[in-house]
Amino acid sequence: MGSASTAAPLPVQESALAAFSTTWLETSTAAVSVHGELDAANAGEFIRCVSALLPSTERLILDLSAVRFFGTSAFSALHTLSVRAAGHDVNWALIPSREVTRLLRICDPDAALPTHDTLRGALASVRRGGSGFPRLVSS
């Protein structure tokens, strides 16, 4: 694993239910950590926070390991982010909490989203170029 950037992390964005923080693990690898609850009340904010990074990164890790509640709107947000990441040619991976995994078993039964148990696994996946959503191809 390369050394982490010495740049300061981006400010923590807090909603009533969750806090979002971004850390640059490598020059073009951002990790967004979410602490708290993701549901209809803050799914839009989650999408905006992550989408703002897509034009400036090649690799993205969504660390949801500290999410205590994960609603269906949050799953829809993950799908939206997956499509947007593909549009920006960003490789991404997800580290789910137990609560996130529980909903993914229902909403993503074919395991199309790129989930990993550890940061090490997620980082290795995005470095290889492995994302769960198909790449957009241009002619």
Side-chain angles (χ1 to χ4, degrees):
M1 175 164 33
S3 62
S5 170
T6 57
L10 295 177
V12 173
Q13 297 180 20
E14 293 190 39
S15 72
L17 301 172
F20 312 115
S21 62
T22 303
T23 305
W24 290 91
L25 303 175
E26 299 170 341
T27 304
S28 58
T29 305
V32 176
S33 299
V34 180
H35 297 265
E37 302 177 5
L38 276 176
D39 61 13
N42 58 3
E45 183 180 354
F46 176 55
I47 291 171
R48 284 187 297 279
C49 173
V50 175
S51 293
L53 295 169
L54 295 176
S56 60
T57 191
E58 295 174 12
R59 294 177 294 275
L60 173 69
I61 296 172
L62 299 178
D63 183 355
L64 306 185
S65 61
V67 169
R68 297 183 314 266
F69 178 81
F70 190 74
T72 55
S73 294
F75 173 77
S76 294
L78 281 182
H79 182 268
T80 297
L81 291 170
S82 182
V83 172
R84 289 183 182 180
H88 285 277
D89 201 27
V90 172
N91 297 322
W92 75 282
L94 168 67
I95 305 169
S97 66
R98 186 180 73 216
E99 290 76 7
V100 174
T101 299
R102 185 178 304 130
L103 190 68
L104 290 181
R105 277 192 218 116
I106 297 165
C107 295
D108 185 30
D110 296 325
L113 295 178
T115 61
H116 298 276
D117 294 333
T118 65
L119 177 59
R120 177 176 280 189
L123 193 53
S125 175
V126 297
R127 284 177 177 157
R128 281 192 309 270
S131 288
F133 207 77
R135 288 276 180 227
L136 299 177
V137 178
S138 62
S139 51

